[in-house]
């Protein structure tokens, strides 16, 4: 079969497997994004609230039913789903109606929580806007599920395209796509949250970096980097800030290393660094002009359990103390189960085989660490904040295995199907070192 057929087959298998969990994937924040999307579609507040509450409570009931079926004591008891759903609906509606009666209608979202907390979601319209066509065409339940499948499949395809742009053999490019689906990237991207889009857009930026380094389509590569950073601002502006800074730093490191090696930095590398720096500065400026919640507000949200407690008098001091405690505990848990650390090490080793692209790859993965550092909460759902760090093994492991595959399997003309000759592929690979 042709490579594109294998890509589609992997995507189709992944999509079919996701039918096992159509509901029950939501997190406490899902209702805020879903309600926002329904309001963007044109629903009024009550209709958006009803549809959102129905979805969230159906998910809770589903999980209660599943958990009871495997409970060694209560598996023979009556189904708890109706009771759980009714209690959930009553609690959700009670909270919303109390805030509406109190006039808490300042944010452009349903007031499932205080205005200060809803403002955090109000400044992230990108993901709700992405959901609108799926919700309109397929309804809430299947629309959210299909949106997750589409964005996760897109992430896997982008991994394949990145590795092929690096002239990696097709089997290893498919391996990277499969790794994206089976590692926590796929699980997290399928949740109705922003992380799926963050992963896809970060991969789009890395694809742009690969095209720039290859030298065959530099303008398209730069457009991808810039477009991804712009889109990230609408989805989660902190990710646009982190990725812009990290790409700028990686570009600067590549330029300095090439200078010291007696080579020109390359206009493409300098352009990527410039775009990254411009995106970071632009994010800071736009966030101020649009009156986005400040860093101190985000700190209070973290330290007051989403503003459920009084504001901290010394938030930065408390944050630093919590940060130290968090990373000590995080490290202890990683040493107990070192799968993540081992995967990062393997990915970094593979990235080192392509130093130029490897620098950009490490930069993209580092945004996950920065996001986690900004939210030192050990109980965040499934380590989703640091999920971007998994891009390092997803792309780095195929690069690590590349010499083995090339030695064992003769694959002449690695750039077949891309309109490139073997000699041009070798020159492109040299330009990425």
């Amino acid at each position: 079969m042709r490579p594109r057929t294998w890509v589609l087959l992997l995507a189709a298998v992944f999509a079919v497997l996701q039918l096992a969990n159509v509901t029950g994937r939501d997190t406490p924040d899902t209702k805020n994004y879903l309600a926002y999307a329904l309001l963007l579609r044109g629903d009024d507040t009550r209709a958006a609230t009803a549809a959102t509450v129905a979805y969230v409570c159906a998910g809770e009931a589903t999980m209660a039913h599943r958990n009871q079926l495997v409970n060694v004591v209560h598996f023979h008891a009556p189904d708890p789903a109706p009771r759980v759903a009714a209690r959930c609906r009553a609690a959700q509606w009670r909270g919303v109606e109390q805030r509406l009666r109190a006039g808490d209608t300042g944010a452009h979202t349903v007031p499932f929580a205080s205005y200060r907390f809803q403002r955090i979601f109000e400044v992230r319209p990108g993901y709700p806007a992405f959901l609108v066509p799926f919700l309109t065409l397929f309804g809430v339940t299947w629309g959210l599920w299909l949106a997750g499948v589409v964005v996760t499949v897109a992430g896997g395809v982008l991994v394949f395209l990145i590795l092929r742009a690096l002239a990696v053999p097709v089997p290893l490019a498919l391996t990277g796509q499969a790794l994206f689906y089976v590692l926590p990237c796929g699980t997290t991207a399928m949740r109705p949250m922003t992380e799926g889009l963050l992963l896809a857009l970060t991969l789009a930026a890395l694809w742009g970096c690969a095209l720039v380094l290859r030298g065959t389509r530099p303008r398209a590569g730069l457009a991808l980097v810039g477009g991804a950073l712009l889109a990230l601002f609408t989805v989660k502006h902190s990710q646009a800030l982190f990725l812009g800074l990290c790409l700028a730093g990686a570009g600067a490191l590549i330029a300095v290393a090439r200078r010291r090696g007696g080579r020109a930095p390359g206009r493409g590398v300098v352009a990527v660094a410039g775009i990254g720096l411009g995106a970071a500065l632009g994010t800071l400026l736009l966030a101020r002009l649009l009156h986005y919640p400040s860093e101190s507000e985000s700190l209070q949200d973290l330290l007051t359990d989403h503003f459920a407690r009084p504001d901290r008098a010394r938030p930065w001091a408390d944050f630093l103390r919590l940060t130290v405690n968090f990373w000590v505990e995080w490290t202890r848990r990683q040493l107990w189960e070192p799968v993540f650390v081992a995967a990062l090490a393997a990915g970094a080793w593979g990235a080192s085989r392509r130093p130029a692209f490897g620098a950009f790859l490490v930069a993209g993965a580092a945004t996950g660490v920065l996001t986690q550092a900004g939210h030192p909460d050990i109980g965040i759902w499934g380590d989703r904040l640091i999920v971007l760090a998994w891009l390092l093994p997803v792309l780095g492991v195929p690069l690590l295995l590349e010499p083995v595959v090339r030695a064992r399997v003769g694959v002449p003309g690695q750039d077949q199907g891309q309109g490139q000759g073997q000699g041009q592929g070798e020159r492109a690979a040299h330009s990425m070192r």
Side-chain angles (χ1 to χ4, degrees):
M1 292 190 293
R2 292 183 177 183
R4 72 183 64 175
T5 306
W6 283 108
V7 170
L8 294 175
L9 179 60
L10 276 178
V13 170
F14 173 80
V16 170
L17 294 177
Q18 302 317 300
L19 288 170
N21 294 278
V22 177
T23 59
R25 297 178 185 269
D26 53 300
T27 73
D29 290 345
T30 296
K31 60 178 178 285
N32 299 299
Y33 293 113
L34 173 57
Y36 195 171
L38 294 171
L39 290 173
L40 286 178
R41 189 179 67 173
D43 293 18
D44 60 30
T45 301
R46 179 158 288 273
T49 303
T52 302
V53 169
Y55 175 80
V56 169
C57 295
E60 284 194 22
T62 297
M63 295 309 299
H65 174 69
R66 293 178 187 174
N67 290 335
Q68 193 221 13
L69 289 177
V70 292
N71 187 294
V72 295
V73 176
H74 302 293
F75 64 90
H76 51 70
D79 185 1
R83 183 179 70 256
V84 169
R87 185 171 64 243
C88 171
R89 287 193 296 268
Q92 294 293 340
W93 273 108
R94 183 167 57 250
V96 171
E97 289 175 343
Q98 285 176 352
R99 294 185 185 92
L100 288 176
R101 284 196 299 269
D104 191 358
T105 57
H108 298 299
T109 58
V110 173
F112 287 108
S114 67
Y115 170 74
R116 291 175 71 185
F117 185 55
Q118 293 303 124
R119 272 287 292 164
I120 295 173
F121 297 94
E122 187 181 35
V123 301
R124 301 173 183 175
Y127 178 63
F130 169 75
L131 291 178
V132 167
F134 295 96
L135 300 177
T136 302
L137 294 174
F138 302 100
V140 171
T141 299
W142 286 102
L144 284 176
W145 178 86
L146 187 58
V149 169
V150 168
V151 77
T152 309
V153 164
V157 173
L158 284 167
V159 170
F160 177 87
L161 293 173
I162 291 169
L163 292 170
R164 290 301 290 149
L166 299 173
V168 171
V170 169
L172 286 179
L174 292 170
T175 299
Q177 180 186 1
L179 285 174
F180 183 85
Y181 295 150
V182 302
L183 289 177
C185 301
T187 304
T188 305
M190 275 298 300
R191 289 192 180 280
M193 297 283 288
T194 58
E195 278 71 27
L197 268 183
L198 296 182
L199 285 161
L201 291 172
T202 302
L203 284 167
L206 291 176
W207 185 25
C209 293
L211 293 177
V212 168
L213 291 171
R214 187 182 181 92
T216 53
R217 301 177 64 188
R219 291 184 179 178
L222 293 175
L224 272 171
V225 174
L229 288 167
L230 182 61
L232 280 171
F233 180 84
T234 68
V235 178
K236 195 174 184 181
H237 67 280
S238 61
Q239 177 64 12
L241 172 64
F242 293 154
L243 185 59
L245 287 174
C246 289
L247 291 180
L253 285 176
I254 296 169
V256 170
R258 287 181 173 180
R259 281 287 188 189
R260 290 184 175 179
R263 298 172 55 196
R267 288 185 297 178
V269 170
V270 174
V272 170
I275 291 174
L277 182 59
L281 295 176
T283 296
L284 291 173
L285 179 61
L286 274 176
R288 292 292 181 268
L289 291 176
L290 297 174
H291 304 291
Y292 279 12
S294 63
E295 295 81 7
S296 60
E297 187 75 349
S298 179
L299 234 61
Q300 293 291 359
D301 169 52
L302 171 73
L303 298 171
T304 61
D305 191 21
H306 306 311
F307 308 110
R309 302 171 183 271
D311 282 7
R312 297 292 185 98
R314 301 171 62 228
W316 285 103
D318 292 341
F319 175 76
L320 291 176
R321 181 176 180 180
L322 177 63
T323 295
V324 172
N325 295 342
F326 171 84
W327 287 112
V328 169
E329 176 62 15
W330 185 90
T331 303
R332 186 189 67 80
R333 296 189 183 192
Q334 298 307 314
L335 295 177
W336 185 9
E337 297 180 281
V339 175
F340 180 47
V341 174
L344 289 181
W349 188 1
S352 69
R353 307 191 72 88
R354 300 288 185 93
F357 177 76
F360 286 125
L361 173 55
V362 171
T367 60
V369 179
L370 290 174
T371 301
Q372 181 70 82
H375 302 78
D377 184 350
I378 205 71
I380 288 293
W381 289 67
D383 296 326
R384 64 177 177 84
L385 292 177
I386 205 171
V387 70
L388 283 151
W390 280 99
L391 294 182
L392 185 56
V394 165
L395 289 163
V397 168
L399 294 175
L400 179 62
L401 298 176
E402 184 182 13
V404 178
V405 172
R406 289 191 184 279
R408 290 177 176 267
V409 183
V411 190
Q414 292 300 331
D415 292 314
Q416 290 177 0
Q418 297 184 31
Q420 311 296 331
Q422 179 69 15
Q424 187 174 358
E426 293 174 355
R427 291 193 297 273
H430 174 73
S431 70
M432 287 184 273
R433 296 191 179 100

